[in-house]
Amino acid sequence: GLDRGYAGYWSALPLDWHGGDAIQVLPVSPCGEGAGATLCAFPLNRILSQYEPQPGERTFVVNAPLVPLGKIDPMPPSLGAPADVFQAGTLVVYVYRDDVAARFGPPIRY
């Protein structure tokens, strides 16, 4: 029942491509510090409208600790407690009851 999620850049691209039309995986990057730490839309090659929170939609965040620049660990507390956590190969998937994009930081602009 999951069709929308987020991952580090180098994980999001192949997951999105291999998922075809079944899932959408958007690239994110850690942003903020300390208590304000969260995730943000990836600063390059993005369409900001894709990151608009979808009310009532469950989402996931993928942590790929073995992929260079793919690691998002630990999950920022600002995202809230995940409803489920599971491992798929080397990936750790955090499932949330809502669209965590609602708790992302402001887009980084260049």
Side-chain angles (χ1 to χ4, degrees):
L2 296 169
D3 56 12
R4 179 180 167 93
Y6 308 93
Y9 183 80
W10 292 108
S11 300
L13 297 179
L15 289 169
D16 190 64
W17 187 78
H18 285 291
D21 291 334
I23 63 169
Q24 179 183 37
V25 184
L26 297 170
V28 293
S29 59
C31 59
E33 294 182 23
T38 189
L39 298 178
C40 289
F42 193 74
L44 304 171
N45 304 325
R46 67 181 177 203
I47 300 170
L48 284 176
S49 62
Q50 291 180 319
Y51 293 87
E52 288 291 325
Q54 303 299 310
E57 186 170 345
R58 292 181 348 137
T59 57
F60 58 90
V61 178
V62 176
N63 182 18
L66 300 179
V67 177
L69 303 176
K71 184 176 181 180
I72 302 172
D73 189 39
M75 283 296 119
S78 62
L79 298 183
D84 193 15
V85 178
F86 64 91
Q87 189 154 356
T90 61
L91 304 176
V92 180
V93 182
Y94 297 80
V95 179
Y96 294 87
R97 290 184 175 89
D98 61 351
D99 192 345
V100 294
R103 294 183 293 284
F104 284 0
I108 298 168
R109 301 198 186 272
Y110 288 99

